[in-house]
Amino acid sequence: PDLLPTCNGEITTMSFLQDVVDILLQYVVKSFDRSTKVIDFHYPNELLQEYNWELADQPQTLEEILLNCRTTLKYAIKTGHPRYFNQLSTGLDMVGLAADWLTSAANTNMFTYEIAPVFVLLEYVTLRKMREMVGWPGGCGDGIFSPGGAISNMYAMLIARFKMFPEVKEKGMAAIPRLVAFTSEHSHFSVKKGAAALGIGTDSVILIRCDERGKMIPSDLERRIVEAKQKGFVPFLVSATAGTTVYGAFDPLIAIADICKKYKIWMHVDGAWGGGLLMSRKHKWKLNGVERANSVTWNPHKMMGVPLQCSALLVREEGLMQSCNQMHASYLFQQDKHYDLSYDTGDKALQCGRHVDVFKLWLMWRAKGTTGFEAQIDKCLELAEYLYNKIKNREGYEMVFDGKPQHTNVCFWYIPPGLRGMEDSEERTSRLMKVAPVIKARMMEYGTTMVSYQPLGDKVNFFRMVISNPAATHQDIDFLIDEIERLGQDL
């Protein structure tokens, strides 16, 4: 109650915020300290009972509010910790953090130039630069920052459908033929989720077979397109993946582009995870053919380490997003304003309220330059190769697929001493399935590191190590191997 905007609230406000900043700075320093835990794990019911989290009628003191801040961070996962490898988005960038603080202080909405002048211009500049890096001449086209890769992919489906059947916007799905989309069996679940949300239906998403490295097989794609057309369905979108979630595989974009051109189908590239490689001269060949796509998803909050959330959808044809999504709300998008209305971007978005996501990316790009991002990305890929080389012939490890990883995903089984002599059998498989979950649970209880695992197809639980944290070093990779062996030796 003593904080601004109460009169004479300045002094209390300044000291309160100073205290908050001190708490945050201590947390930041701790995040990079290898002697601290990645996580102080408690089971949900323990955490619920240990503290009073309930909301009350009466206000609490500022001391208690500061205590709430400390407690929350005490149990937060240190996603910037050099030994946190659990997700595709890791790391804690200082300039990105500063940008996030500034964005929250400015607290505005992205729909019009009128209320977000600098942010709207920075979105325009940054998206154009990203489209240039995709390879579209002069960075032409359109785009938007959305709340994550799943929404970016849904935008692509929405726009592809509108491009083929503009009447769907007014008349709905009943007015158009039965549509089908194609994506690889290793693609992200968001393609099916988008189909469900848009009323196309998950049964209309046809999964294309992958080779043993997890790349879509173009001949199977063509076969399934022909098959769908023979059944009277209308293929409207192919979503190729540049950097699959589990294997980190890059679909063969040139071959897929040829097929899309032949059958006049919208080509989308889901580069949520692999798009960052466009920043690297050494690795961007993995996305050869991306310039032929009609739309591209690229998440700077993954490989580039921009604080969450920061996901871009890029569209090659200008004006399409606008006509697909605009509703001409006269209380926001008045046509008689005194400035160039093309900077009012809100009508091309699905959201009305839209968070400022661009500033973190823009400020980091200013601070690092493209070469800084390149060095960061090259280093992560080099670390993945180091891990691969270290375990490919090491006793107790089996690779999930042959050959060095294309991205920073390294997929492997740890075979504990107790399983090493066993021949392939159902018993061995069912025991192996339990190894990764047990080791992961122990990692979390000790709080030393975090790495994810999953089954895939007929393969039982294996570790999926991913590296996108610029703070990680060779020593952290060594530590992970030692830790897996320490926690799994009795299994």
Side-chain angles (χ1 to χ4, degrees), residues 341-359:
L341 295 176
S342 69
Y343 291 104
D344 282 3
T345 52
D347 219 6
K348 69 183 179 191
L350 278 180
Q351 299 167 267
C352 177
R354 192 159 66 88
H355 186 260
V356 175
D357 291 328
V358 67
F359 190 65

Side-chain angles (χ1 to χ4, degrees), residues 10 64 69 106 121 140 165 196 204-205 214 233 291 293 318 366 374 398 431 440 446 454:
E10 286 92 338
E64 289 172 292
C69 292
L121 294 180
C140 67
F165 296 103
S204 303
V205 177
F233 301 146
E291 70 287 346
E318 205 174 338
R366 295 281 282 200
E374 175 179 51
E398 259 176 49
R431 282 179 63 184
K440 171 69 177 273
Y446 282 106
Q454 69 283 301

Side-chain angles (χ1 to χ4, degrees), residues 34-100:
R34 286 175 175 77
S35 68
T36 64
K37 289 181 167 192
V38 173
I39 171 182
D40 183 353
F41 180 77
H42 288 60
Y43 287 95
N45 53 341
E46 295 175 346
L47 256 190
L48 270 176
Q49 286 155 17
E50 205 166 316
Y51 296 92
N52 174 18
W53 305 100
E54 295 308 314
L55 298 164
D57 294 340
Q58 297 308 313
Q60 302 228 312
T61 65
L62 288 181
E63 279 68 42
E64 289 172 292
I65 297 304
L66 290 170
L67 195 61
N68 294 154
C69 292
R70 284 196 185 89
T71 306
T72 303
L73 286 180
K74 175 171 161 55
Y75 299 108
I77 310 291
K78 295 193 191 80
T79 56
H81 195 290
R83 291 173 183 167
Y84 174 78
F85 304 110
N86 206 63
Q87 247 58 44
L88 301 184
S89 46
T90 62
L92 180 57
D93 187 273
M94 295 307 115
V95 174
L97 180 62
D100 229 346

Side-chain angles (χ1 to χ4, degrees), residues 380-395:
C380 289
L381 279 132
E382 190 274 315
L383 283 177
E385 203 174 324
Y386 172 78
L387 170 64
Y388 167 72
N389 288 331
K390 193 171 158 129
I391 63 175
K392 66 178 176 188
N393 301 317
R394 189 182 177 100
E395 192 190 4

Side-chain angles (χ1 to χ4, degrees), residues 435-447:
V435 171
V438 170
I439 293 177
K440 171 69 177 273
R442 291 175 178 178
M443 279 176 179
M444 290 180 71
E445 304 240 342
Y446 282 106

Side-chain angles (χ1 to χ4, degrees), residues 232-251:
F233 301 146
V234 177
F236 82 107
L237 171 128
V238 173
S239 179
T241 314
T244 57
T245 313
V246 180
Y247 282 8
F250 289 79
D251 285 345

